């Protein structure tokens, strides 16, 4: 009886230890020892769009699966890129009629804890403009 109990105990210890063999996430931003998951970030335009004014955003969720700010819920794909879009309506300055447009983001985390990627604005007629951007942490 004692032998069976010891074998069962050893088997349970071995099975419990196997759980530690899982590959850790390669996602760095937002780890508790590193920095908070949410807070103020700055969306900066780079490349050919570098002249555009930076925007302050409030990230409400940032983890292995999702990056959320304002109306955007970016989901992380298998390649580690956070992708998502939101639809908006704005009046045309010339005649006041409403125009539908979509803003899309595709971002990935660099080793220095900055997100880089693109912001693409697509109008209802299909015309689009893409700008390289980066998200930089500004504080909790």
């Amino acid at each position: 009886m004692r032998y069976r109990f010891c074998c069962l105990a050893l088997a349970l210890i071995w099975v419990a230890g196997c759980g530690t063999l899982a590959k850790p996430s390669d996602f760095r931003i937002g780890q508790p020892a590193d920095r908070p998951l949410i807070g103020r970030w700055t969306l900066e335009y780079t490349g050919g769009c570098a002249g555009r004014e930076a925007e302050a955003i409030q990230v409400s969720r940032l983890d292995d699966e999702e990056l959320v700010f304002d109306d955007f819920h970016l989901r992380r794909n298998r390649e580690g890129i956070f992708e998502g879009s939101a639809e908006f309506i704005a009046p045309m300055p010339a005649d006041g009629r409403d125009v539908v447009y979509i803003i899309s983001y595709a971002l990935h985390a660099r080793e220095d804890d900055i997100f880089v990627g693109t912001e693409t604005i697509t109008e209802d007629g299909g015309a689009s403009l893409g700008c390289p951007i980066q998200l930089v942490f500004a504080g909790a």
Side-chain angles (χ1 to χ4, degrees):
M1 180 73 166
R2 178 181 273 178
Y3 177 75
R4 282 189 205 167
F5 178 77
C6 288
C7 288
L8 180 60
L10 286 173
L12 289 174
I13 290 170
W14 181 79
V15 169
C18 288
T20 62
L21 298 176
K23 180 183 174 215
S25 170
D26 59 358
F27 188 65
R28 293 176 21 122
I29 294 180
Q31 297 300 324
D34 193 18
R35 60 173 54 169
L37 294 174
I38 59 174
R40 294 176 314 186
W41 290 72
T42 303
L43 188 151
E44 300 173 352
Y45 294 91
T46 62
C49 298
R52 293 180 68 182
E53 186 175 340
E55 300 175 23
I57 62 170
Q58 180 71 29
V59 171
S60 59
R61 180 175 176 187
L62 174 54
D63 56 30
D64 281 339
E65 298 174 12
E66 197 170 32
L67 168 60
V68 177
F69 62 94
D70 300 334
D71 292 325
F72 298 95
H73 295 262
L74 310 181
R75 298 222 181 256
R76 187 174 187 217
N77 66 22
R78 290 182 184 190
E79 290 79 35
I81 298 172
F82 288 87
E83 297 177 309
S85 62
E87 188 174 291
F88 300 92
I89 299 174
M92 284 286 283
D95 59 11
R97 66 186 162 90
D98 288 339
V99 174
V100 176
Y101 64 99
I102 298 170
I103 299 177
S104 304
Y105 290 99
L107 304 168
H108 70 276
R110 291 190 327 205
E111 288 186 23
D112 60 357
D113 293 345
I114 293 176
F115 282 97
V116 294
T118 58
E119 173 192 78
T120 304
I121 301 173
T122 306
E123 293 180 6
D124 193 21
S128 65
L129 171 67
C131 281
I133 60 166
Q134 64 182 19
L135 284 180
V136 180
F137 185 71

